[in-house]
């Protein structure tokens, strides 16, 4: 074991333990068939750390096999006996049959040794940190453990490594003074236990850095403050990992969420404010090799330097994330009083550091147009209030692949009304940056007595209308002059429609006048008549919307009282 001390005498160098043992690579599929939980997972992590000189900065520890008495504190005698003997010759003829009866498990001649080393190694690093010999430590182990049950292997896991180490510290080493341990499992899985476990059930698999950080800030951190742990053990699985290579995003093949290495480093840094930084990382899942290696490296940098890696996250939480946070806080407030206070939905809209600054800018044309109101008549997704508010207050709702920047003036619409208009609704184009594959809604700019379309009208200022125009067509609201001013408002009132040259390449560059309501002009934005002809001639494709887009449209009609729940049929 090598230990090094270096750096400025005024700086206390963190002593971080690191444990890896190639014997855990012996656990593999019987015929060396491909499996996501394979030896390359820990080999790739170790190689990444070596390439970045991490072991040289750590206290490198030797692996130890777990003793049966510590395993039996968590697992049944039958289960421990099985895992101890499953790799022996007496099981050669029935090893595969036993594995087939279990959920997502394989065994070979190296499984027993690997399982004992994995569990024993987490005990080893946890004990070193508990003793105070190390500030923190990480164990690169496999097979993983957090799915293993009391009497059964499950989900690639043979022994529940973190549970065994936790039991060891609490029951076998009380003299170390570790009485409360916070286990943080940020993998894409959950456990049960009312009052003891906190589960956050994502509504979809696209959650990323912003969503996890919101849960940290609004649920985990308040609970951690109230619990005041003596030590933290992180079940550090990286199923939620996302890598961002030059040509796109490649996430974990099993987890499907979108947390970046930077995101993991921020999550870990927030935990270091507790338990005097006594933190143990135990590898769990994560099956994209590049993602898991880079994420583990990012976490090691945090343990060593006590700060996140360089990076940033410009995304914002999904609307559903705040809904889940509210539900979890409400459910668990009986156990954790700190969660009793309700978090307003708008909290996610107020987290943009630039939006409030932008709103304070004094721009003459904005001041002028803020004094004039119009009705913005919407069709398609914008009939759903929460979706339309993304254009005003910033943010995104479920299904959107990118966030709206919002208007400079974030005040909500003064009034909302519903009307039907004699225009045809249709769907065109094959994909969008915001919603992915599938068509989006357009309104035929000319009226027809044979058509009838629901439209939701929002009373907003002409300044806000300009911001909506920009976001619909160029994804920004940063402009030196308005695209649609008071003169244009007069022109559209007289002519019926005005095609905006500045948005000529945009899909919604045609402003159409639909009359007045309460003596306020009603405007909508859609394609031009020439675009309609291109759709008819198939120069531009007509295409049905994706399911998420269609369901959001239907949700707007239901919440707006235009369709009953029975009439609305989700796709």
């Amino acid at each position: 074991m090598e230990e090094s001390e270096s750096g400025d005498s005024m700086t206390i160098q963190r002593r971080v333990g690191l444990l890896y043992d190639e014997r855990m690579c012996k656990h593999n599929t019987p015929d060396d068939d491909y499996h996501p939980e394979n030896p390359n997972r820990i080999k790739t992590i170790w190689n990444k750390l070596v390439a970045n000189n991490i072991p040289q900065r750590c206290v490198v520890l030797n692996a130890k096999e777990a003793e049966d008495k510590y395993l039996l504190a968590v697992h049944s005698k039958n289960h421990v006996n099985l895992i101890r003997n499953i790799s022996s010759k007496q099981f050669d003829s029935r090893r595969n049959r036993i594995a087939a009866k279990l959920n997502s498990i394989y065994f070979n001649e190296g499984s027993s040794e690997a399982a004992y080393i994995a569990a024993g190694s987490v005990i080893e690093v946890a004990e070193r940190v508990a003793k105070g010999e190390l500030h923190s430590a990480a164990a690169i182990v496999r097979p993983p453990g957090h799915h293993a049950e009391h009497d059964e292997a499950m989900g690639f896991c043979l022994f529940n490594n973190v549970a065994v180490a936790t039991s060891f510290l609490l029951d076998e080493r009380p003299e170390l003074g570790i009485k409360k341990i916070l286990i943080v499992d940020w993998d894409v899985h959950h456990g049960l236990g009312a009052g003891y476990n906190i589960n956050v059930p994502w509504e979809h698999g696209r959650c990323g850095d912003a969503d996890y950080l919101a849960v940290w800030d609004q649920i985990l951190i308040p609970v951690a403050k109230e619990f005041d742990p003596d030590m933290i053990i992180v079940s550090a699985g990286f199923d939620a990992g996302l890598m961002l290579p030059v040509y796109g995003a490649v996430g974990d093949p099993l987890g499907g969420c979108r947390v970046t290495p930077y995101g993991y480093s921020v999550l870990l840094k927030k935990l270091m404010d507790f338990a005097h930084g006594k933190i143990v990382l135990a590898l769990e899942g994560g099956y994209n090799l590049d993602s898991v290696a880079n994420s583990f490296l990012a976490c090691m940098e945090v343990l060593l330097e006590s700060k996140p890696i360089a990076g940033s996250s410009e995304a914002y939480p999904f609307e559903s994330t705040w809904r889940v946070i509210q539900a979890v806080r409400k459910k668990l407030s009986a156990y954790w009083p700190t969660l009793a206070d309700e978090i307003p939905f708008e909290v996610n809209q107020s987290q943009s550091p630039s939006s409030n600054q932008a709103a304070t800018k004094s721009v003459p044309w904005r001041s002028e147009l803020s004094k004039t109101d119009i009705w913005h008549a919407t069709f398609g997704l914008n009939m759903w209030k929460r979706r339309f508010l993304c254009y005003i207050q910033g943010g995104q709702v479920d299904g959107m692949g990118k966030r709206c920047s919002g208007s400079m003036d974030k005040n909500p619409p003064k009034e909302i009304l519903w009307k039907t208009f004699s225009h045809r609704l249709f769907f065109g184009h094959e994909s969008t940056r915001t919603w992915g594959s599938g068509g989006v809604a357009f309104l035929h700019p000319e009226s027809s007595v044979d058509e009838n379309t629901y439209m939701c009208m929002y009373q907003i200022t002409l300044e806000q209308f300009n911001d909506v125009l920009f976001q619909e067509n160029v994804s920004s609201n940063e402009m030196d002059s308005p695209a649609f001013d008071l003169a244009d408002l007069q022109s559209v009132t007289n002519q019926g429609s005005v095609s905006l040259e500045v948005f000529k390449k945009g899909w919604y560059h045609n402003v159409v006048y639909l009359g007045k309501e309460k003596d306020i002009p009603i405007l909508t934005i859609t394609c031009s008549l020439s675009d309609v002809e291109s759709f008819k001639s198939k120069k531009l494709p007509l295409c049905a919307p994706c399911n998420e887009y269609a369901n959001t449209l239907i949700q707007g009609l239901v919440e707006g009282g235009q369709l009953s729940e029975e009439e609305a049929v989700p796709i």
Side-chain angles (χ1 to χ4, degrees), residues 211-226:
D211 304 281
Y212 276 73
L213 289 170
V215 167
W216 245 238
D217 291 340
Q218 303 301 333
I219 298 177
L220 179 59
I221 298 304
V223 168
K225 289 179 180 178
E226 188 173 338

Side-chain angles (χ1 to χ4, degrees), residues 445 499 509 527-537 539-540:
S499 182
H509 58 88
C527 61
S528 64
L529 281 173
S530 62
D531 292 329
V532 171
E533 293 305 315
S534 295
F535 281 118
K536 287 182 178 178
S537 66
K539 184 177 180 181
L540 292 175

Side-chain angles (χ1 to χ4, degrees), residues 122-132 134-137 165-166 169-170 176-184 227-234 271 274-281:
V122 179
I123 291 175
E124 174 68 5
V125 297
E127 185 178 19
R128 292 294 194 99
V129 172
K131 285 180 176 179
L134 303 168
H135 290 96
S136 55
T166 300
L169 292 181
L170 295 177
L176 297 178
I178 303 299
K179 298 178 181 179
K180 292 186 291 184
I181 298 176
L182 173 65
I183 299 174
V184 178
F227 182 58
D228 190 21
D230 300 310
M231 186 171 174
I232 297 175
I233 301 181
V234 180
L271 294 178
F274 301 94
H276 305 289
K278 287 181 176 288
I279 294 180
V280 168
L281 300 185

Side-chain angles (χ1 to χ4, degrees), residues 234-270:
V234 180
S235 280
F238 299 95
D239 281 12
L242 170 73
M243 288 304 298
L244 300 174
V246 176
Y247 299 109
V250 180
D252 187 88
L254 299 187
C257 287
R258 303 176 178 184
V259 181
T260 66
Y262 168 75
Y264 281 117
S265 75
V266 176
L267 297 179
L268 181 57
K269 177 59 181 75
K270 287 177 177 286

Side-chain angles (χ1 to χ4, degrees), residues 117 136 295 339 473:
I117 292 174
S136 55
S295 296
L339 301 180
N473 289 284

Side-chain angles (χ1 to χ4, degrees), residues 376-380 383 419-428 440-448 451-456 497 507-514 522-532 535 542 549:
H376 180 26
T378 64
F379 50 88
M383 295 187 295
K419 290 188 70 172
T420 57
F421 292 87
S422 299
H423 288 256
R424 182 186 177 192
L425 186 73
F426 64 95
F427 297 89
V440 292
F442 292 93
L443 193 77
H444 196 296
E446 290 188 337
S447 63
S448 171
E451 302 291 343
N452 200 35
T453 296
Y454 290 105
M455 299 185 77
C456 183
S497 66
W507 292 355
Y508 298 94
H509 58 88
N510 191 29
V511 181
V512 178
Y513 176 70
L514 298 175
I522 304 172
L523 307 178
T524 194
I525 53 177
T526 185
C527 61
S528 64
L529 281 173
S530 62
D531 292 329
V532 171
F535 281 118
L542 292 170
Y549 187 103

